[in-house]
Amino acid sequence: MAAKALHSDSLCHMFLRPIRSDLLECKVCFERFSSEQTGRRPRNLPCGHVICLGCVCALAHAVLRQLECPFCRRKCDVGGTYDCQALLDLQDLLGSAERPRYSLNVSGLLRLQNTFGGWGELINPTGVAVLVSAAVVVVHGGHKKVTMFNSQGHYLHSFGYYGNGRSDLCHPLDVAITPIGHVVVTDAGDHSVKVFSSRGTPLANFGPFELPWGVDVDKCGHILVTDAQAGLLWQVVMDHRCSVVVAKVVVLKDLQCPRAVASCRVSGRVAVLEAQRQHNGNSIPARLKLFSKDFVLLTQVDCFSLNLLNPMELHISCVTFDRKGDLIVADAQQGLVWSLSDLHKTPTLSPLVKARLERPVGLVATEQNSLIVLDSGDHTVKIYSTSADDSDGPKRSKSI
């Protein structure tokens, strides 16, 4: 394992070396750019070439405050130069990559506390949410497509037969809970979003969408729905007491195959995961975008950027916020869960779960500081906690 980690580090350095020499050094003085407030900050010239601030000052006329680009000879004013933010961000990412990273044999911070569900009770689960009562709600492909378990993992009840009726579900993809405990389900089968009581009574049905996928409820009680095919994020305002849709508006456009959506109960920020896709024969990696509560883009990161922070190739499959407002992501291909901390600042990858997961497709961070993971690999719900003692192995709940 140590040899593999060393090999990964060697490959990482081989990959990063040309980036540092080709992009992260000034081609006038050949000094490395710096993100600090010094003379080595990369500066964009109006012609598009980049040199460091020190060379801008050295090449500029002392009185006229003008300089000539050393590459294309175009003249410009010193005041017309500005920080090259793309290179500053890349510099920060590479600086993070050079810091000590977690090796593959380091355990995650969370321990498996309980496992429930399994084939038969859950069939190809796709979404998970938690009621205020701590009951766990899962949507899946079974005979009844919404199944509830209590906080100990014992089966409670199910609803949502396959069909096109008001109380039916065709192909549910995700689930969320309203402030008063109603269950919101995206149904890709009939391109709608459906709202039920916790007992399964149909309350509302709205659409149409092209391909409704992810759903969450923000701190104001508004429903957020991604349309993966149309590239949109919808906000649906409901009178939950009367189960009436008050407004349905597009809040984000031009998204690329948006799937998971998560709203932070602390800050109101919204995270949208754009899935990996093919374009003109090329594979475009998944991308995570973070927006303010007013849907202004704050930052974005893709798997390529995250791979600079970690020797493993990451494939984000789902996202949630913890009770402090930090982002948590899961990797369905490698069975891992990571904390991204505050993505609006420099992202920091910290392992949370590195064992006993096969294919995590859903995440919920609870107020009790536990993490609920929906594992479609073995059709189970797994609860992790920092306080669980797993010396005797995880508990396995049975149906009652």
Side-chain angles (χ1 to χ4, degrees), residues 27-293:
K27 295 307 179 183
V28 175
C29 64
F30 296 100
E31 293 288 339
R32 188 170 176 177
F33 290 131
S34 171
S35 59
E36 302 296 327
Q37 296 294 334
T38 66
R40 298 305 171 200
R41 287 180 71 84
R43 299 286 288 183
N44 275 318
L45 304 182
C47 58
H49 291 108
V50 181
I51 61 176
C52 71
L53 178 61
C55 289
V56 169
C57 297
L59 295 173
H61 191 281
V63 178
L64 301 178
R65 301 292 292 167
Q66 290 184 337
L67 71 149
E68 189 177 76
C69 174
F71 308 108
C72 66
R73 303 303 178 186
R74 178 178 171 181
K75 293 184 178 180
C76 67
D77 295 328
V78 172
T81 68
Y82 54 95
D83 279 347
C84 181
Q85 191 60 46
L87 291 185
L88 287 172
D89 291 344
L90 182 58
Q91 181 77 28
D92 288 339
L93 285 172
L94 292 183
S96 299
E98 291 170 344
R99 292 194 289 267
R101 295 170 295 199
Y102 295 96
S103 61
L104 301 186
N105 60 354
V106 175
S107 299
L109 300 177
L110 304 182
R111 306 294 185 211
L112 182 60
Q113 184 181 35
N114 198 3
T115 301
F116 53 89
W119 181 261
E121 285 188 307
L122 298 176
I123 299 175
N124 299 324
T126 55
V128 63
V130 176
L131 285 161
V132 176
S133 61
V136 179
V137 185
V138 181
V139 292
H140 61 110
H143 185 55
K144 293 183 179 180
K145 300 186 180 300
V146 180
T147 297
M148 290 193 182
F149 302 88
N150 67 13
S151 57
Q152 288 75 45
H154 298 302
Y155 172 82
L156 295 176
H157 67 94
S158 300
F159 62 87
Y161 287 101
Y162 176 81
N164 296 310
R166 189 165 176 262
S167 61
D168 298 331
L169 290 166
C170 299
H171 184 49
L173 290 179
D174 202 5
V175 60
I177 306 299
T178 71
I180 61 173
H182 292 164
V183 179
V184 186
V185 181
T186 52
D187 191 344
D190 63 3
H191 313 285
S192 69
V193 174
K194 297 171 181 176
V195 183
F196 301 88
S197 72
S198 60
R199 298 299 303 177
T201 303
L203 302 174
N205 184 329
F206 52 88
F209 302 89
E210 291 188 33
L211 182 56
W213 199 293
V215 64
D216 200 6
V217 177
D218 66 20
K219 61 189 299 184
C220 298
H222 304 328
I223 299 171
L224 300 175
V225 181
T226 61
D227 191 323
Q229 188 165 317
L232 305 174
L233 178 69
W234 291 84
Q235 183 187 69
V236 180
V237 180
M238 285 193 66
D239 182 336
H240 294 291
R241 295 290 178 182
C242 301
S243 300
V244 175
V245 175
V246 177
K248 175 173 171 277
V249 296
V250 173
V251 290
L252 290 175
K253 299 180 179 179
D254 300 322
L255 298 171
Q256 304 300 316
C257 196
R259 293 194 178 177
V261 59
S263 178
C264 180
R265 302 298 187 271
V266 178
S267 64
R269 291 176 178 174
V270 175
V272 177
L273 176 62
E274 296 179 324
Q276 181 175 337
R277 63 196 186 281
Q278 297 293 322
H279 181 68
N280 294 332
N282 298 319
S283 179
I284 309 299
R287 181 167 53 183
L288 184 61
K289 291 185 173 181
L290 182 66
F291 299 88
S292 71
K293 63 180 180 180

Side-chain angles (χ1 to χ4, degrees), residues 273 314-320 328-339 357 359-363 373-374:
L273 176 62
L314 298 179
H315 304 273
I316 302 176
S317 55
C318 51
V319 60
T320 192
I328 299 175
V329 298
D331 184 332
Q333 293 193 25
Q334 301 183 80
L336 304 171
V337 178
W338 300 84
S339 169
L357 278 179
R359 187 173 176 80
V361 296
L363 293 171
V373 184
L374 183 64

